[in-house]
């Protein structure tokens, strides 16, 4: 095995594989899942985030940072399985500068 092959040994093609496994082990689906995000207090970014959960019965709570430059969001939504959780994270990750907790 070359050094390059060894460096990639055990690495998965799917960056969500470990997270998927953790969800499968620790949660019973369907369930209400809580997402937490931080984004800049930009109305376009906020609207984009809210639109991603518009078709789901989600409860969205938002708080301003002390300086008002950022907003934190807690989103509670019913999910059917780990793939739905991952799909939400993938979709939200398309928002520039979002921090997913």
């Amino acid at each position: 095995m070359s050094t390059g092959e060894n460096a990639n040994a055990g690495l998965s093609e799917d960056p969500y594989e470990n997270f998927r496994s953790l969800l499968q082990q620790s949660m019973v689906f369907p369930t209400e899942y809580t997402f937490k995000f931080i984004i800049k207090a930009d109305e376009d970014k906020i609207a984009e985030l809210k639109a991603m959960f518009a078709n789901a019965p989600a409860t969205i709570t938002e708080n301003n940072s002390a300086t008002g430059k950022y907003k934190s969001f807690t989103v509670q939504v019913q999910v059917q399985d780990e793939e739905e959780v991952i799909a939400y994270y993938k979709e939200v990750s398309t928002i520039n500068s979002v921090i997913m907790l």
Side-chain angles (χ1 to χ4, degrees), residues 36-90:
K36 293 191 179 267
F37 309 108
I38 299 172
I39 59 175
K40 288 187 177 182
D42 174 303
E43 290 304 317
D44 291 336
K45 292 180 190 291
I46 292 167
E48 192 176 349
L49 176 69
K50 289 180 177 180
M52 292 177 180
F53 294 93
N55 293 326
T59 301
I60 302 174
T61 306
E62 58 185 271
N63 291 301
N64 292 317
S65 66
T67 62
K69 292 172 87 175
Y70 296 92
K71 283 195 175 245
S72 65
F73 292 85
T74 301
V75 181
Q76 294 179 299
V77 64
Q78 187 74 18
V79 293
Q80 297 304 307
D81 56 27
E82 67 278 355
E83 295 305 324
E84 190 173 358
V85 172
I86 291 169
Y88 278 120
Y89 276 118
K90 285 180 178 179

